[in-house]
Amino acid sequence: MSLFSALFPPADVVEELHDALRPLRSAHPRLRWLHPARWHVTVRFFGEAEPAGQLDGLDRVAAPVLRLRGSGTFRQVLWIGVDGALDELGEAARVPADWRPHLTVARGAVLPHVEFTGREWTATEVSLVRSHPAEGYAVLERVRLSTSNA
């Protein structure tokens, strides 16, 4: 079991990306495609840490406007990039200097390149998530990010 904080895209953003990846899923059936319910942008990975206090201070961070765009690969992972003003969130979450926000969509040996630009969305909350390899994700806590309408 491991603990991480994450941004989960809204349903319409997930659906848009899922539809855009449909031809690639057909063309690359040997890849291990992650189920869209598991798609998230990891903010910070905590490993086997205790959950208490991991999201402290994030409620003062402005909700960033984001967009999924482009793709990349590393260590047999195909990911979709995330554009947007994430510096404030990254600083408040104390992310490592090499943090590269992305959304993992597939794993495998030979990975395609994805040309994709999605719609904008506002990340209104950060979730603290416990990952159980056999069972999936359990959201332990949510913190709303500051919006101009709040």
Side-chain angles (χ1 to χ4, degrees), residues 88-137:
E88 182 184 6
L89 176 61
E91 185 176 311
R94 299 174 306 281
V95 299
D98 63 349
W99 181 46
R100 183 175 191 133
H102 66 276
L103 187 148
T104 298
V105 293
R107 298 178 191 281
V110 179
L111 300 166
H113 177 74
V114 178
E115 290 293 334
F116 177 77
T117 300
R119 66 185 65 167
E120 285 189 340
W121 53 285
T122 301
T124 58
E125 68 180 21
V126 178
S127 299
L128 185 64
V129 182
R130 177 80 67 198
S131 176
H132 301 273
E135 300 153 22
Y137 297 152

Side-chain angles (χ1 to χ4, degrees), residues 41-42 79-83 86 98-103:
V41 178
T42 299
W79 52 263
I80 303 299
V82 181
D83 283 348
L86 283 165
D98 63 349
W99 181 46
R100 183 175 191 133
H102 66 276
L103 187 148

Side-chain angles (χ1 to χ4, degrees), residues 39 41 47 67 129 140:
W39 289 351
V41 178
R67 178 186 306 266
V129 182
L140 305 178

